[in-house]
Amino acid sequence: MHLLLLLSFLPLSIHAAVVEHWWNITYSNANPDGLSTRRVIGVNGTWPPPPVEIGSNDTLIVHATNSLTEVTSLHHHGMFFNKTSWADGAVGITQCGIPPGETFTYQIDVSDWDQWGTYWVHAHSKGQYVDGLRAPFLVHNQNSGGEVYSTKYDDEFTVVLGDWYHQEHSSLVAHFLSQSNPGGAEPVPDSALIYFTQNGTYLPPIADATSDPAHVGFNDNATLPFQPGRTYRLRVINTSAFAAFFFWIDGHDMRVIEVDGTDIEEYPTSLLSLTVAQRYSVLVTARNDTSANWVIHGNMDTDMFDTIPPELNPNATSSITYDSNAPLTPGSEVDAYFDVDDTVLVPVVVEAELPPPDHVIELNVFFDTMDNGVNRAMFNNVTFNAPLVPSILTQLTMGNDSANVAVYGPQSFVVEIRVHNWDAGKHPFHLHGHKFQIVHKSFDVTSDDPTVNPPVGPEGQTNPIRRDTVQVPSLGNAFLRIRADNPGAWFFHCHIDWHLDAGLAVTLLEAPIQAQATIQLPSYVSSQCLAQGLPASGNAAGHFSTTDLSGLTTGPFPQILGWRPRGIGAMAGCVLTVLMGMATVAWYAFGGLVSDEEMEEEAREAERKKKERGGIVKRLGVVTGRQ
């Protein structure tokens, strides 16, 4: 499904330093949970891929070479990509994917976009981040005054949370999207992971002092070194394919200061809930004694799983170490899990609620078994299929046909996406190329409790929260408002990877005419499509037509309920058979019986005819010993 938005852009030009990385995307082997060694996707022969850290005045250049046996891509999650939509990394939307043996150069101009905060980089092709192609990506604020809370903490660490599978994505998705799984049960992870980074390096195992980046501490074999009385900023990232996490630290309080790259006023909490792809920064002040070390908890939200295998431990633990010789306090459980209500968080930089929207996009979430017997996901009863031509190339090559002012409204307007979740599960929705204001959120639209289902409005909120990934609970909704000022093609999708595979996505196409004037497309974007035998221009199917979409994959479609011709014929046959059977019963019951004398006469006649035939022995002329 594609949604076309016609609008204007805001040019920015700020001098930027250039930071370059060369990533050779390769297969490797890893066993992070200590339970099973498997093939993974890493970088430069190691796994996990290296953490990336830059300043907000920098431009990041990543030269990504594909040494896999299938196409790949990189998406720097949360970046705006103003004027460089082609570098967003979403296969089918902004590129065809990097063919094996070729290189794609990603340009991330954060200096032009006024962005900083906690992000991550991951594959956006064939579920490869499920297989390990994912890493933290931090942008440090270099504006005047630096980080907003820099005077309130002494040091910082990044906490990486993630679910982990022992089978490769290709095997798991083949079963997930098959007729043998009509209920659409998602693959349940085999374990949960916690690991840490600092200053662009993974922290080593507790018992390993080596600086080799391949030696990474996971779970109970990883720890954060704290010093008494100091305050630390912990950047927490959920890199999962499926599982949301609940995160807390025994014996320590947390104050949230950042949400998905947005600095917020301090918000105390005893527990963080992070759906897939969300990020939070918290301040944690160390204790003033070193007599004990403390447990860090990362518990998967098992309410999302259809089943919990008996061998699964959904709760990962690590530790804070004050003294390596001190005992570890016994881990504690919370009384009850709860989700952080992000609508109560207040950004430090005040931005008033955007004006009432010029265009509202209503998206209703459904899952159902389709006409091919496979369970799929849908927005508004349409499941997503990637176009043959990436949407950005269609924007840039279709001329005036890429936009229609009469249909798509005035040149500049505000857009509101309203997501209504009618599914039984929670869903994390992510919009590429933007942060949205959450102007309304209901946790259950069927509730009469205004704290759970608040009324919509009024307009004019002074400073609503802004983020790029929002969790919408079952039977809940969220109204997400953006100023559509970023020409390009932007994906909006559920960030549970299995649900993206199942088709829970749409594409927003912003300012096609302005995009043609402002986006300079590197030649390799098109040439890598052609190298795969895919068209690199024209409409979604590669034709220069507004009506001919032949060759484009469509469906599957929802089953058509009610009486169809074949069903009517089958039912008519069944009814006729029943009526005939009933007539026969009635005939026997009401005088249709044969008398005993008639039955005896029929038996004598049959016996006479049998003797005349002589039986099978006589007919075959066989001589027996009987005369």
Side-chain angles (χ1 to χ4, degrees), residues 15-29:
H15 176 72
V18 175
V19 178
E20 291 190 88
H21 289 270
W22 283 262
W23 277 23
N24 183 19
I25 299 172
T26 56
Y27 294 113
S28 184
N29 290 300

Side-chain angles (χ1 to χ4, degrees), residues 279-611:
R279 294 91 60 207
Y280 288 91
S281 282
V282 295
L283 296 181
V284 179
T285 298
R287 300 171 69 89
N288 285 317
D289 69 84
T290 62
S291 61
N293 302 319
W294 298 85
V295 175
I296 299 174
H297 298 266
N299 291 8
M300 294 193 290
D301 182 359
T302 57
D303 285 348
M304 302 175 68
F305 303 164
D306 277 45
T307 60
I308 302 177
E311 66 276 11
L312 172 65
N313 177 9
N315 305 329
T317 56
S318 183
S319 63
I320 287 174
T321 297
Y322 288 95
D323 182 344
S324 59
N325 296 315
L328 183 66
T329 57
S332 65
E333 291 297 323
V334 295
D335 294 332
Y337 294 139
F338 58 87
D339 290 327
V340 174
D341 182 2
D342 44 14
T343 64
V344 304
L345 305 178
V346 180
V348 170
V349 177
V350 177
E351 291 185 13
E353 180 179 6
L354 291 167
D358 303 283
H359 186 62
V360 173
I361 302 168
E362 303 277 358
L363 296 177
N364 292 281
V365 177
F366 298 103
F367 282 71
D368 203 357
T369 302
M370 310 296 269
D371 57 1
N372 65 349
V374 176
N375 192 280
R376 294 289 294 265
M378 298 167 285
F379 278 129
N380 300 345
N381 287 323
V382 178
T383 192
F384 178 81
N385 289 288
L388 294 177
V389 178
S391 302
I392 187 63
L393 297 183
T394 294
Q395 274 193 335
L396 300 182
T397 61
M398 284 296 288
N400 290 333
D401 284 336
S402 66
N404 185 327
V405 174
V407 175
Y408 299 110
Q411 283 287 349
S412 178
F413 54 85
V414 175
V415 175
E416 185 167 289
I417 302 170
R418 296 179 177 177
V419 183
H420 308 274
N421 181 15
W422 305 112
D423 183 48
K426 310 171 185 177
H427 293 278
F429 290 103
H430 170 54
L431 176 60
H432 290 221
H434 290 276
K435 280 183 189 174
F436 42 72
Q437 294 181 337
I438 304 177
V439 298
H440 173 76
K441 192 173 186 181
S442 170
F443 295 90
D444 183 355
V445 297
T446 67
S447 174
D448 295 326
D449 182 350
T451 63
V452 175
N453 184 27
V456 177
E459 294 287 339
Q461 297 178 62
T462 56
N463 191 20
I465 190 61
R466 305 182 296 274
R467 66 185 316 168
D468 59 56
T469 305
V470 61
Q471 176 172 275
V472 182
S474 175
L475 298 181
N477 62 23
F479 294 2
L480 316 174
R481 194 171 295 182
I482 63 169
R483 186 179 299 281
D485 56 6
N486 191 7
W490 308 113
F491 218 14
F492 180 77
H493 62 91
C494 178
H495 217 291
I496 292 175
D497 198 77
W498 310 115
H499 296 171
L500 178 56
D501 290 331
L504 196 53
V506 294
T507 305
L508 275 67
L509 307 175
E510 291 187 36
I513 301 303
Q514 287 87 345
Q516 294 171 17
T518 60
I519 295 177
Q520 297 181 354
L521 192 73
S523 60
Y524 53 79
V525 178
S526 298
S527 66
Q528 290 187 358
C529 293
L530 299 176
Q532 299 175 55
L534 297 172
S537 60
N539 65 17
H543 309 303
F544 284 89
S545 169
T546 58
T547 58
D548 181 10
L549 291 174
S550 59
L552 190 66
T553 299
T554 58
F557 303 99
Q559 298 183 53
I560 300 175
L561 303 178
W563 293 103
R564 309 296 297 163
R566 292 178 63 182
I568 293 172
M571 178 57 75
C574 292
V575 171
L576 181 60
T577 301
V578 170
L579 292 175
M580 292 175 65
M582 291 175 66
T584 302
V585 171
W587 180 75
Y588 274 99
F590 298 101
L593 291 174
V594 179
S595 67
D596 292 342
E597 291 78 5
E598 289 174 322
M599 293 177 64
E600 290 176 3
E601 180 60 30
E602 287 181 4
R604 284 194 293 268
E605 181 64 18
E607 180 65 21
R608 182 184 62 79
K609 290 180 178 181
K610 180 178 179 181
K611 289 180 178 179

Side-chain angles (χ1 to χ4, degrees), residues 242-253:
F242 183 24
F245 271 85
F246 298 106
F247 174 85
W248 74 97
I249 305 171
D250 288 347
H252 296 73
D253 297 322

Side-chain angles (χ1 to χ4, degrees), residues 270-283:
S270 60
L271 175 146
L272 280 180
S273 61
L274 299 95
T275 191
V276 174
Q278 286 186 332
R279 294 91 60 207
Y280 288 91
S281 282
V282 295
L283 296 181

